[in-house]
Amino acid sequence: MQTLAGTRLAQLFNERKSELLGEWAAQQYAITSRRGGVPEAQLRNQFAQYVDLVCAALGSSEQVDFNTATWDEVRTFLAEVSEQRARQGFTPVETAMFVFSLKAPLFARLRAQLASDPAALADLTWTISVLFDGMGLYTTEVFQSTREQVIVRQQQELLELSTPVVQLWDSILALPLIGTLDSARTQVVMESLLQKIVETGAAIAIIDITGVPTVDTLVAQHLLKTVAAARLMGADCIISGIRPQIAQTIVHLGVNLQNVITKATLADAFIVALKRTGKSVMGAAAATEAPGTPGPLRGDPFAGD
């Protein structure tokens, strides 16, 4: 019985292809217009490919079963459409309507053709329902998987953008942190910092937490792990941005930062870093007044001893 239903369905597609395209396209235009539109030529081309693949699958098997290997090419095509629409901002329902938009036109023509044969009408209606529901659900699954991949990629890109490692001076790096520091982000922070240490041969890394809203035990542990990893690469760390509230929290939590240099501001940490690397910043005026005998500018906060 399924073979007969598949043959009739393929025949219906072939005989009424233009009519089905017109009604299907009208529904698709209404959907795609809300998302900036899809060119008419592209929609027509997609419809033609879809119908040709479905008819080929219907004619290649005695069973109308979307889950069999016969329908591999249809699944591949629907996956491409779903992935494309996921990236274009369509919703899962709008994507599934690529398939479901054909059900109403098909049922209308079946009722007209098989009005005198209710048994055949019922059989073919059931076959179409099962087949198209399977295809529609498949587009939704692919859509959700694609969106999850996009979200994960965007999160990774945001993590990388939110953890820039900059070189403040020769052998001195700075890593300003903004937002919550969780396990995933800590891993990105470590990788970015360690890679930069390798590239520059830096001896000092300043981790600035001015933009971190709260510091709890977990955040403190993440910071200590980053410091330990940097030390293994031969670089000492200074943590700056220790506000009064954060200092009180760290003390209350009993977090041991005795082996880590901490400063209230990035500027204070930079001064310490310059001194530890044996460098100083000298004003241009001082260098001009005493050429050949450079000395620190009076009152210059970056001046070395």
Side-chain angles (χ1 to χ4, degrees):
M1 187 66 70
Q2 278 194 322
T3 303
L4 180 59
T7 302
R8 283 189 170 179
L9 181 56
Q11 183 181 1
L12 179 60
F13 269 123
N14 289 321
E15 292 178 353
R16 303 298 181 92
K17 191 173 182 178
S18 297
E19 298 175 17
L20 293 173
L21 170 60
E23 295 187 29
W24 176 86
Q27 295 188 53
Q28 288 299 302
Y29 290 150
I31 293 172
T32 60
S33 61
R34 297 194 293 267
R35 303 295 173 186
V38 175
E40 180 180 353
Q42 182 178 339
L43 277 178
R44 290 181 174 273
N45 183 54
Q46 287 179 337
F47 179 85
Q49 291 184 61
Y50 177 51
V51 171
D52 289 344
L53 290 172
V54 169
C55 289
L58 290 170
S60 301
S61 175
E62 295 182 355
Q63 290 187 331
V64 183
D65 187 352
F66 180 66
N67 296 314
T68 61
T70 304
W71 293 81
D72 283 348
E73 292 188 15
V74 179
R75 283 193 294 272
T76 299
F77 173 77
L78 291 176
E80 293 175 355
V81 172
S82 299
E83 291 171 358
Q84 181 185 53
R85 295 201 170 193
R87 294 188 177 93
Q88 290 175 333
F90 287 82
T91 67
V93 173
E94 290 170 342
T95 302
M97 286 303 294
F98 181 90
V99 172
F100 293 144
S101 293
L102 263 176
K103 290 179 74 173
L106 282 173
F107 288 152
R109 279 151 185 80
L110 285 176
R111 286 194 297 269
Q113 286 186 2
L114 302 174
S116 59
D117 191 350
L121 176 60
D123 178 59
L124 196 50
T125 298
W126 175 253
T127 300
I128 292 175
S129 296
V130 173
L131 175 62
F132 277 71
D133 289 350
M135 289 190 288
L137 290 173
Y138 180 75
T139 63
T140 302
E141 291 177 0
V142 175
F143 178 93
Q144 295 289 13
S145 176
T146 303
R147 287 303 295 269
E148 289 173 3
Q149 293 173 8
V150 170
I151 291 171
V152 169
R153 187 181 71 251
Q154 290 175 340
Q155 289 176 337
Q156 183 67 24
E157 291 173 351
L158 287 173
L159 283 176
E160 293 173 356
L161 289 173
S162 63
T163 54
V165 182
V166 295
Q167 185 167 4
L168 295 180
W169 208 266
D170 184 32
S171 298
I172 301 175
L173 300 178
L175 174 60
L177 298 177
I178 300 174
T180 304
L181 191 63
D182 55 18
S183 298
R185 192 175 179 202
T186 299
Q187 186 64 32
V188 175
V189 168
M190 280 189 187
E191 292 175 359
S192 301
L193 180 59
L194 297 182
Q195 183 63 34
K196 198 69 173 180
I197 290 173
V198 171
E199 292 175 0
T200 63
I204 303 291
I206 302 173
I207 302 176
D208 184 67
I209 62 172
T210 303
V212 177
T214 58
V215 174
D216 54 18
T217 304
L218 189 61
V219 171
Q221 290 176 351
H222 291 326
L223 288 173
L224 291 176
K225 288 179 181 178
T226 304
V227 171
R231 283 177 175 170
L232 290 174
M233 298 298 296
D236 286 331
C237 287
I238 302 173
I239 298 179
S240 64
I242 305 294
R243 304 183 297 277
Q245 300 89 338
I246 290 181
Q248 294 175 17
T249 301
I250 291 176
V251 172
H252 178 71
L253 294 174
V255 177
N256 185 10
L257 294 179
Q258 293 181 357
N259 296 325
V260 181
I261 300 175
T262 59
K263 290 295 178 180
T265 66
L266 178 60
D268 293 336
F270 188 36
I271 293 173
V272 174
L274 286 172
K275 289 182 178 180
R276 295 195 63 176
T277 55
K279 297 179 176 64
S280 63
V281 177
M282 180 177 60
T288 302
E289 293 172 1
T293 56
L297 179 66
R298 182 175 299 176
D300 189 343
F302 297 143
D305 294 332

